[in-house]
Amino acid sequence: MEYTIKTIGVLTSGGDAPGMNAAIRAVTRAALNNNIRVKAIFRGYKGLITGEVKEFHTEDVSNIIQRGGTILKTARSDEFKTTEGRQLAYETLRREEIDALIVIGGDGTFTGGTLLAREYNIPIVGIPGTVDNDLWGTDATIGYDTSLNTIMDCVDKIRDTATSHERVFFVEVMGRNAGFLALNSAIACGCEAAIIPERKTAEEQLEHFIGSGFRKSKNSSIVIVAENSVPGGTQVLADTLKERHPEYDVRVTILGHLQRGGSPTANDRILASRLGVAAINALLEEQRSIMVGVQNEEIVYVPLAKAIHQRKDVQSDKVTALQILSI
Ligand code: F6P
């Protein structure tokens, strides 16, 4: 082994996700269990550059498994994208005697980690934490299940008012450039359609929705729209429908950042706990530049480059199921 790992650093970066605290807790306790010291890095790569580091003991991660957000704070650092920024980050690692880094986040976090690993030969393990679920190589990312359940609660409420007023609602949800939250929340809420970036254009998907004859059996409808899937924004869809059918009463609701908050679900807490332990095991097995994930309930190691660059697709049977069930 090139390095004997005596001390690890752990950080969260990019958009926060419910369950990140459970992952920090698991990483910390699994490391301590193997006599590895833990240095918590605050504010993601930004804090790595400025040296915001504190040693963590087991009590530092008590009473956080149920809390949303991240106790380590998070940030998106432009400075870390520069070679000078990464040089400063490396100097912090050396000064703090950190031998390996565990990064919790999405593809921006993994891209940064990959660069640091390549330039300074640092062992890095990624833990997938993002509500978007858009990382290849893992069936789920930490935070996705909680976000999905939050959306479901919101859409159920919108359904009440949509039914009372006999309206068509377009509900925009997060996902960055992926339709996992949109498609799965649409199925879970019995929605009439989902507009997702993985299939056809938004215009074509709207045509399909209009052509589905949704008004024959229903006086109200809810269409879930994945953010960034409609050029010009979700309101464009509402305006187009209104132009074609002035008799419809149409509304748009953008759920926004409430989708990132709240106490993590049992699924997210369990996933985060397993992946935190798996990340330490991976380092002990001399793995580097990998993401720990779960496939078919088993822990897997996936090269970080693959997790970032391969496109994870939505399941086609779900697209079909939604169409069949929305009549
Ligand atoms: O990647 C997580 C995410 O919540 C995306 O779904 C969304 O597009 C983005 O982050 C929002 O970022 P910010 O919190 O910086 O506005």
Side-chain angles (χ1 to χ4, degrees), residues 159-167 220:
R159 176 74 73 188
D160 291 342
T161 177
T163 309
S164 305
H165 286 265
E166 303 186 307
R167 283 175 167 157
S220 67

Side-chain angles (χ1 to χ4, degrees), residues 15 76 130-132 174-176 227-228 257 260:
R76 302 187 203 272
T130 165
V131 296
D132 302 328
M174 281 187 169
R176 210 165 54 107
E227 65 173 351
N228 303 320
H257 285 79
R260 288 227 304 253

Side-chain angles (χ1 to χ4, degrees), residues 114-126:
T114 307
L115 289 172
L116 194 67
R118 196 183 302 148
E119 291 166 356
Y120 295 102
N121 198 21
I122 298 285
I124 290 192
V125 171

Side-chain angles (χ1 to χ4, degrees), residues 7 135 215 220 297:
T7 306
L135 289 167
R215 280 272 151 169
S220 67
E297 272 303 309

Side-chain angles (χ1 to χ4, degrees), residues 10-178:
V10 58
L11 60 81
T12 51
S13 164
D16 63 349
M20 279 184 163
N21 283 329
I24 295 162
R25 170 181 177 270
V27 165
T28 302
R29 293 203 168 152
L32 295 175
N33 200 43
N34 284 287
N35 298 316
I36 297 171
R37 291 170 74 196
V38 179
K39 299 269 179 103
I41 298 150
F42 290 81
R43 298 183 175 77
Y45 293 120
K46 198 169 163 219
L48 192 56
I49 290 171
T50 55
E52 284 189 78
V53 179
K54 176 181 181 282
E55 180 154 4
F56 261 20
H57 304 284
T58 191
E59 58 274 19
D60 290 301
V61 293
S62 292
N63 200 18
I64 64 167
I65 194 168
Q66 77 283 16
R67 284 168 56 190
T70 160
I71 60 163
L72 297 184
K73 317 286 184 199
T74 185
R76 302 187 203 272
S77 169
D78 285 333
E79 197 180 355
F80 192 74
K81 291 180 185 154
T82 66
T83 45
E84 295 78 12
R86 290 193 295 279
Q87 167 74 34
L88 291 170
Y90 176 68
E91 282 165 18
T92 301
L93 291 176
R94 292 275 54 88
R95 195 170 50 248
E96 295 288 340
E97 299 181 329
I98 294 171
D99 307 309
L101 199 55
I102 294 186
V103 297
I104 308 171
D107 80 335
T109 305
F110 291 176
T111 303
T114 307
L115 289 172
L116 194 67
R118 196 183 302 148
E119 291 166 356
Y120 295 102
N121 198 21
I122 298 285
I124 290 192
V125 171
I127 297 182
T130 165
V131 296
D132 302 328
N133 195 30
D134 58 350
L135 289 167
W136 187 90
T138 186
D139 293 342
T141 56
I142 297 165
Y144 168 65
D145 186 63
T146 306
S147 186
L148 192 54
N149 278 283
T150 300
I151 295 169
M152 190 176 70
D153 288 346
C154 293
V155 175
D156 285 350
K157 291 185 168 76
I158 289 172
R159 176 74 73 188
D160 291 342
T161 177
T163 309
S164 305
H165 286 265
E166 303 186 307
R167 283 175 167 157
V168 179
F169 269 84
F170 290 94
V171 181
E172 184 184 296
V173 301
M174 281 187 169
R176 210 165 54 107
N177 299 310

